[in-house]
Amino acid sequence: MAPLTKPRDVQVVYLDNDTTLLRSRTWDRLKFEVEYSLQKGTTANSFLIKGDKIALIDPPGESFSQNYIQALQERLDLKSLDYIIVQHFNPNRAATLKALVALAPHVTIVCSKAAKLAMDKLWNEEPIAANIQIINRGDLDLDLGSGHNLQFTLTPTPRWPDGICTYDPKSQILWTDKFFGAHVCGDQVFDEGWKFYSEDRRYYYDCVHAAQPQQVLSALKRLQDKPARFYSPAHGPLLRYGKQELTQLYHQWSEKQNRQELSVALIYASAYGNTGTLAQAIARGITKAGVAVELIDCEQVDPSDIQARVEKCDGFILGSPTLAGHPPTQVQTALGIVMSTAAKTKLAGVFGSFGWSGEAIDILESKLRDAGYNFGFEPIRVKFAPTDAIIQECKEAGIDFAQKLKKNLKRRTPKRSVNVSSSDRTAQAVGRVVGSLCIVSAHRGELHSAMLASWVSQATFNPPGITVAVAKDRAMESVTHTGDKFVLNILPENSSLARQFTKTFAPGEDRFVGVETETASNGGKILTGALAYLECTVRDRLECGDHWMVYATVESGQLFDPSGVTAVHHRKTGSYY
């Protein structure tokens, strides 16, 4: 029987006499975008402010519209609503906005110029029947009366060029929109015991912001003079206890991205959001592998900006939907800029989604191949909306692309002297630390992955627990977060299974082809040729340099061959596997 899930609802919390939080909650995965991949649900946080005038901040998307408007009507005569503040606009929000405007005929929508342009484009045939007040750099206040003089800060990023943040000096609440969020759902409103959410907030940053670090730093600088009691992000718990530390971490993570030695320009357009989802997944793989990536929506930037970014990048990737058998005009323009600007030594990539035939992807590929560019991964073609498996394939393609860039850089770097240095001797000594050879088979839902591991150790007696070191650029890292389940298959001496899992796999390729397996009770893969196996659940993760140290408790296990000897990995150096 499938597990019962809670229905979507709206949690209403009175933050003070004038400000109410309405959290639209879903315990299920909301979208297939990579940022939701941990599948912990999410909240869409909206706020009602009552001064002499009444304002609503960030109504949720269409999937929450009915419950949300009902919760509002129980607390407010919508005819008295004066303003709807839209901190960023996306098509999913359009239905809720239209429903609210129909119930609040005198309302004014407050947003950035970029958001207004996006609304006009979406509602070209049926414009919304509401006044729209545009926030410009010289007009950043909205006085609601009773001391609530809202202050707006423009915080555009490549992903949300229309972004703004809002501050109320009276309540000292800073609405941070897409900054400092997390996709988790629960009853907890504030971040008591805030480190409990550390992994979720880091994952959210890596998926959403790692590809736009310079804009994140610019936004943080603009917001630093706001003395906030707490942050109110668009998703997840509000930040009261961990806001200072998380702000510092955003600085650290963004500055680290800016210092990366290699960079990729990921240029795309997205007609219905699907190609954009693929772009985010590929970018996630690239940043996981320690290479910077700059997402460039070619519908939002000038051609001169594309040229400047292509000139300085080490590799480029083009993504396109197919419209009437061709790429959109903006993608065609970007292609021309790339081919006239990018040296033939720069690595290339192509991807896109389509409804029927996907000619745009073929056109991009053939033009670049004919021009002599080498590809970092085979072109990715996705019909309609991506699935979990497709998202994983895109992440693995991004990892492969980054690793090839690193190899190219290494080939160009002069070799060091053959003299044995003290660091070489240290590496030789570290290499004498040995570990058992294991195959870690991890899964989340229908998504399975596996890797050969030798950095495995028992960590606790009670409960029985182990640690596994997982490199950040391993494809399997994506399914070793807290709550994920895996099987540790311990190999016997002279096992041929080790060779199976040391070969190079194409993005999305099934690791278990030709391998005899059984299904464990936790849904993972047991290798029948193993010496023993352990069924494990990830309880914690620690970031350690270029690896994640994953701690998991052992739920069950079995020894297949009591007389067998565990395979051990002997290394000559501690500098690589």
Side-chain angles (χ1 to χ4, degrees):
M1 180 181 295
L4 296 176
T5 58
K6 296 181 181 179
R8 294 182 180 185
D9 66 0
V10 179
Q11 181 186 24
V12 180
V13 181
Y14 296 95
L15 300 177
D16 58 35
N17 291 334
D18 298 332
T19 308
T20 303
L21 164 65
L22 297 96
R23 304 176 82 217
S24 298
R25 301 188 294 183
T26 175
W27 278 262
D28 300 320
R29 181 173 183 164
L30 185 62
K31 301 177 183 177
F32 269 105
E33 294 179 16
V34 65
E35 66 194 72
Y36 297 93
S37 292
L38 297 187
Q39 301 185 22
K40 296 183 179 181
T42 193
T43 68
N45 300 331
S46 179
F47 301 84
L48 184 66
I49 306 171
K50 293 183 178 180
D52 298 331
K53 295 184 177 180
I54 301 174
L56 189 63
I57 297 180
D58 283 345
E62 183 175 6
S63 56
F64 297 114
S65 291
Q66 184 175 352
N67 288 346
Y68 174 77
I69 291 175
Q70 181 180 341
L72 265 182
Q73 289 176 317
E74 291 172 357
R75 292 158 180 85
L76 176 72
D77 179 0
L78 287 177
K79 292 180 180 179
S80 65
L81 183 63
D82 297 289
Y83 299 101
I84 299 174
I85 298 168
V86 179
Q87 295 191 122
H88 78 275
F89 176 78
N90 59 44
N92 187 45
R93 221 171 232 177
T96 309
L97 281 176
K98 277 200 166 185
L100 287 170
V101 168
L103 296 168
H106 304 295
V107 75
T108 296
I109 295 176
V110 180
C111 63
S112 67
K113 182 178 180 180
K116 169 67 162 56
L117 293 173
M119 291 179 192
D120 289 344
K121 181 179 178 181
L122 183 69
W123 291 321
N124 185 37
E125 297 181 0
E126 297 180 22
I128 193 167
N131 297 320
I132 296 181
Q133 179 176 331
I134 296 175
I135 298 167
N136 296 307
R137 290 192 181 278
D139 179 23
L140 301 180
D141 293 342
L142 179 66
D143 191 356
L144 300 180
S146 301
H148 297 286
N149 187 29
L150 302 185
Q151 301 173 2
F152 301 111
T153 302
L154 296 173
T155 55
T157 64
R159 189 168 179 183
W160 296 285
D162 58 341
I164 60 174
C165 292
T166 307
Y167 177 68
D168 184 353
K170 181 176 181 181
S171 64
Q172 293 189 313
I173 299 174
L174 177 61
W175 286 273
T176 58
D177 192 34
K178 287 295 185 176
F179 299 101
F180 309 118
H183 287 304
V184 293
C185 185
D187 295 325
Q188 187 172 341
V189 175
F190 284 93
D191 61 334
E192 298 92 343
W194 80 276
K195 287 186 179 295
F196 178 77
Y197 298 107
S198 294
E199 182 181 344
D200 301 294
R201 296 195 189 281
R202 173 61 186 276
Y203 185 80
Y204 179 88
Y205 172 90
D206 286 342
C207 293
V208 172
H209 294 301
Q212 50 191 25
Q214 189 57 54
Q215 291 81 5
V216 171
L217 291 171
S218 296
L220 294 178
K221 185 176 182 180
R222 294 185 188 125
L223 296 173
Q224 65 185 0
D225 63 342
K226 309 297 183 187
R229 285 191 300 127
F230 56 85
Y231 295 161
S232 297
H235 306 288
L238 312 188
L239 274 89
R240 173 181 286 160
Y241 306 98
K243 66 181 179 66
Q244 183 174 354
E245 187 165 351
L246 188 58
T247 302
Q248 293 172 348
L249 287 171
Y250 261 56
H251 273 284
Q252 293 173 15
W253 296 335
S254 299
E255 287 167 353
K256 181 179 179 181
Q257 288 299 320
N258 275 341
R259 291 194 300 267
Q260 298 291 6
E261 192 171 9
L262 296 167
S263 67
V264 175
L266 203 164
I267 307 163
Y268 72 98
S270 189
Y272 303 104
N274 295 329
T275 303
T277 297
L278 303 179
Q280 295 293 329
I282 294 170
R284 174 71 182 114
I286 293 170
T287 56
K288 267 167 54 71
V291 171
V293 61
E294 191 166 12
L295 281 172
I296 304 166
D297 184 342
C298 58
E299 294 182 293
Q300 304 289 343
V301 301
D302 292 329
S304 59
D305 291 334
I306 296 176
Q307 181 175 355
R309 296 172 193 183
V310 170
E311 285 176 348
K312 70 178 183 179
C313 73
D314 299 283
F316 62 87
I317 302 173
L318 289 170
S320 178
T322 297
L323 302 178
H326 292 86
T329 301
Q330 297 90 338
V331 176
Q332 295 183 46
T333 300
L335 174 64
I337 293 170
V338 166
M339 294 181 66
S340 64
T341 303
K344 299 301 184 291
T345 55
K346 293 189 178 185
L347 206 60
V350 169
F351 70 97
S353 66
F354 57 92
W356 303 108
S357 52
E359 293 96 341
I361 306 159
D362 300 332
I363 292 170
L364 295 180
E365 179 191 4
S366 63
K367 293 283 188 182
L368 293 174
R369 288 199 190 277
D370 290 346
Y373 290 101
N374 292 320
F375 279 60
F377 54 81
E378 288 300 310
I380 297 173
R381 302 165 51 88
V382 178
K383 192 168 185 179
F384 301 119
T387 62
D388 263 339
I390 292 295
I391 286 176
Q392 181 66 15
E393 178 184 344
C394 289
K395 286 191 281 189
E396 292 179 18
I399 292 171
D400 285 358
F401 195 93
Q403 290 174 340
K404 288 180 181 178
L405 282 180
K406 288 182 173 182
K407 288 178 182 177
N408 291 344
L409 177 64
K410 189 175 181 180
R411 283 196 294 266
R412 297 194 304 266
T413 303
K415 292 184 178 180
R416 295 183 304 171
S417 170
V418 296
N419 293 332
V420 178
S421 66
S422 60
S423 60
D424 292 329
R425 290 192 291 269
T426 301
Q428 290 171 359
V430 172
R432 294 313 187 263
V433 178
V434 299
S436 57
L437 280 175
C438 305
I439 304 298
V440 183
S441 164
H443 80 104
R444 185 187 300 134
E446 299 300 316
L447 186 63
H448 288 266
S449 190
M451 73 172 193
L452 179 68
S454 60
W455 294 4
V456 181
S457 178
Q458 182 170 351
T460 53
F461 287 126
N462 187 20
I466 61 169
T467 57
V468 182
V470 182
K472 290 180 177 178
D473 61 357
R474 285 292 188 97
M476 207 192 72
E477 184 274 336
S478 299
V479 287
T480 56
H481 287 262
T482 303
D484 284 329
K485 299 179 183 297
F486 66 84
V487 175
L488 185 72
N489 294 277
I490 304 162
L491 300 184
E493 281 187 330
N494 303 317
S495 172
S496 62
L497 289 170
R499 289 192 296 275
Q500 163 71 13
F501 290 91
T502 53
K503 71 178 186 180
T504 300
F505 292 95
E509 184 179 351
D510 186 352
R511 271 68 170 165
F512 301 97
V513 172
V515 178
E516 291 186 8
T517 64
E518 297 177 357
T519 302
S521 60
N522 68 4
K525 301 283 188 181
I526 300 171
L527 308 186
T528 56
L531 176 66
Y533 75 91
L534 303 172
E535 296 186 33
C536 307
T537 301
V538 178
R539 300 301 180 188
D540 203 356
R541 282 163 47 109
L542 176 65
E543 188 174 9
C544 304
D546 54 6
H547 282 65
W548 286 97
M549 183 60 67
V550 176
Y551 170 70
T553 54
V554 177
E555 313 300 336
S556 64
Q558 184 176 343
L559 175 64
F560 291 133
D561 183 2
S563 62
V565 177
T566 302
V568 176
H569 185 210
H570 295 278
R571 295 178 296 152
K572 293 182 178 180
T573 177
S575 298
Y576 49 85
Y577 297 120

